[in-house]
Amino acid sequence: MPSYEEVFRRSTEDPEGFWLDAARGIDWDVAPTRALDPARAPFYRWFPDGELNVCHNALDRHVDAGRGAQDALVYDSPVTGSRRTYSYAELRDRVAAFAGVLVGLGVGRGDRVVVYMPMVPEAVVAMLACARIGAVHSVVFGGFAANELAVRIDDARPKVVVSASCGIEGKRVVPYKPLLDSAVELAEHRPEACVVLQRPEYVAEPGPLDVDWEAAVREAEPAPCVSVAATDPLYILYTSGTTGKPKGVVRDCGGYAVALRWSMEAVYDVGPGEVMFTASDVGWVVGHSYIVYAPLLAGATTVLYEGKPVGTPDAGQFWRVAQEYGVKTLFTAPTAFRAIKKVDPEGELARQYDLGALTYLFLAGERLDPETYHWASELLGIPVVDHWWQTETGWPIVANPMGIEAAPVKAGSPTWPLPGWDVRVLDPAGKPVAAGEDGAIVVKLPMPPGALPTLWNDDDRFVASYLSAYDGFYLTGDGGHVDEDGYVFVMGRTDDVINVAGHRLSTGGMEEVLAAHPDVAECAVIGVADSLKGQVPRGFVVLKAGVASEPAVVEAELVQLVRDRIGAVASLKDVAVVAALPKTRSGKILRRTMRGIADGLDEPVPSTVDDATVLDALRPVLTRRPSAGEK
């Protein structure tokens, strides 16, 4: 096989030929004759004269090829004790039936459907049913508060909302139907119908707009696949934010299908009949891309897991799933493994299972600290692959491409830019920085297929948010550097770089040091305003279970560790041991909210986060007397 360097060079020197070759990996109703349309740059379009159906590529073509009996979707829910497996033929039939329900409710090509559901097979069915008839789905993370759902309803203006009576978090039942009802009342746009899946854990009282899922499916006429333009939108996925209107990231049909199908082989090394377990949620981009679309486009088996990595009934659930279904590639967030490591630091639970089929562990969603990387590598004895991408990009920007050429690992780096991604690091003036020097990580336009072509009904905001900082480049919002070997190091959001007495310091670098302490499970460093130095860093750490040391001892050790590793210039003199760090529903630490509270700013806490969690985690900041000159 060609080397990474050869593949990458071709993707940059001959992108037209490279991506037209990749496009042959999917079925087209009208095959494209060209890859890139730059006519309306910076609003680039991929495969402009092609036509296809993404649902056909995910389901029907595998059935037509004689693999209808192969497992397509495995549903595993330790929180309900449910397990079900759907073959490609069974999943196709369920999707066609629900597509018929949507058609019967007046949904057609280009209409929007909001999907507000927990991690159940029907969520996947609803997404694929929209794709089948050319409708545009917008999945909203299940359990989002009514206001967040209402904002998304108003922006997407769906004809139909698809929901469930409830979700389950641990041992807690979360009623969705009352949240949906409140959102419909709050929203200015009124959907024509709400299809509701009744779950036995909570049976909701139907309202005037409601249609029962099961009853509607029984009466529906299965719908065929509708051919759409490659440039038509497949879905809208809203980025989360604490303030302002969320941005509706648009994903096109053709470019996304081509890129995801290509990435399964090139990055994740997963092919037909192999099993991929992505422990995320369908409400996030990872769930869209690598629970639903990419594995099915590749003809693989995908695992849909309803539950958390620890707690139901223990921290061995990921290992159990890997053993039971013969998982080859496991993909989750570093947060999940830090949670497992905290409860089972010696990895005893993992050793109770046969993980012989497990070949790769992929981690993304936040920076992978070296401590977690080393722990997982030593425990599993397989490649632990850090990789970096965003909601906007749809698939990885930087990764260790297991299906092309496995590169030597450098802890803290997600490795190399993938083919199609021209990654640069620029200073504030827009000039390239030297190897090893931190700056803003950007991607030269055009971005490859699969990346967002624009924001939903907001081209101006797309340009202002992503393209205006550096002419000809997409601004990722992350900072970092590229070393002399071409390895990319992503140190965190650019607004996580703090200025301490004229020295620009990465809080990510300090977090890396704190995480290396053997007693630390997870950590966060934020910058706090200081009248003398401009900003000073403050650290918060959660300790592993069973740590015998006194918190004050650990705090002192951590302050000294940063001084030893980074130097006195870091000025990290305050580290607090806390019970928990405030997080989003997807597990990302709310550093921005922490900074806002620590600085005394009037910034609202997202309603998806328990205020008590934030306040408890920040109590050391809120209760101690500030030093001289500190706000």
Side-chain angles (χ1 to χ4, degrees), residues 127-144:
M127 294 167 70
L128 292 168
C130 291
R132 191 173 190 85
I133 60 175
V136 182
H137 64 69
S138 183
V139 181
V140 178
F141 175 73
F144 252 148

Side-chain angles (χ1 to χ4, degrees), residues 272-298:
E274 295 180 321
V275 183
M276 185 169 188
F277 170 29
T278 300
S280 180
D281 191 284
V282 294
W284 310 122
V285 69
V286 170
H288 278 57
S289 292
Y290 293 104
I291 295 177
V292 182
Y293 285 108
L296 297 177
L297 287 166

Side-chain angles (χ1 to χ4, degrees), residues 343-433:
V343 176
D344 184 27
E346 302 304 319
E348 295 174 359
L349 287 169
R351 297 185 182 95
Q352 297 176 13
Y353 294 92
D354 179 3
L355 303 179
L358 189 60
T359 308
Y360 306 109
L361 169 62
F362 280 82
L363 298 172
E366 57 185 311
R367 196 170 53 84
L368 173 59
D369 58 283
E371 175 69 17
T372 301
Y373 163 75
H374 289 299
W375 181 83
S377 296
E378 293 167 8
L379 174 65
L380 298 175
I382 61 174
V384 175
V385 185
D386 184 14
H387 62 321
W388 169 65
W389 51 296
Q390 302 175 324
T391 299
E392 290 85 351
T393 69
W395 61 287
I397 305 171
V398 178
N400 199 333
M402 291 292 113
I404 300 175
E405 178 187 359
V409 170
K410 290 189 180 185
S413 171
T415 313
W416 294 326
L418 288 174
W421 296 99
D422 188 349
V423 175
R424 312 281 181 91
V425 181
L426 305 179
D427 68 14
K431 296 181 179 179
V433 303

Side-chain angles (χ1 to χ4, degrees), residues 170-229:
K171 297 180 180 179
R172 186 168 65 101
V173 174
V174 181
Y176 283 11
K177 183 59 169 52
L179 294 170
L180 173 59
D181 291 343
S182 297
V184 171
E185 288 298 318
L186 288 169
E188 294 180 6
H189 172 78
R190 188 173 179 84
E192 296 178 11
C194 297
V195 182
V196 179
L197 174 73
Q198 295 282 10
R199 303 188 75 186
E201 292 79 10
Y202 173 81
V203 178
E205 188 69 27
L209 294 179
D210 295 342
V211 175
D212 180 77
W213 176 296
E214 296 293 344
V217 166
R218 284 195 298 268
E219 300 173 2
E221 186 73 26
C225 293
V226 173
S227 185
V228 300

Side-chain angles (χ1 to χ4, degrees), residues 83-101:
R83 299 178 193 180
R84 296 199 296 273
T85 300
Y86 302 85
S87 69
Y88 269 95
E90 291 169 334
L91 187 57
R92 178 204 58 186
D93 292 346
R94 286 175 177 265
V95 168
F98 191 69
V101 171

Side-chain angles (χ1 to χ4, degrees), residues 422-498:
D422 188 349
V423 175
R424 312 281 181 91
V425 181
L426 305 179
D427 68 14
K431 296 181 179 179
V433 303
E437 185 178 333
D438 281 346
I441 301 177
V442 299
V443 176
K444 191 175 187 305
L445 299 177
M447 290 190 287
L452 82 167
T454 189
L455 295 174
W456 180 250
N457 286 337
D458 208 340
D459 288 349
D460 291 343
R461 191 180 184 191
F462 171 65
V463 173
S465 297
Y466 302 109
L467 309 182
S468 60
Y470 299 100
D471 186 37
F473 292 92
Y474 163 80
L475 181 68
T476 69
D478 282 306
H481 60 269
V482 178
D483 73 6
E484 63 280 359
D485 297 321
Y487 283 69
V488 178
F489 288 78
V490 183
M491 302 309 295
R493 303 297 291 176
T494 50
D495 55 9
D496 285 340
V497 175
I498 61 174

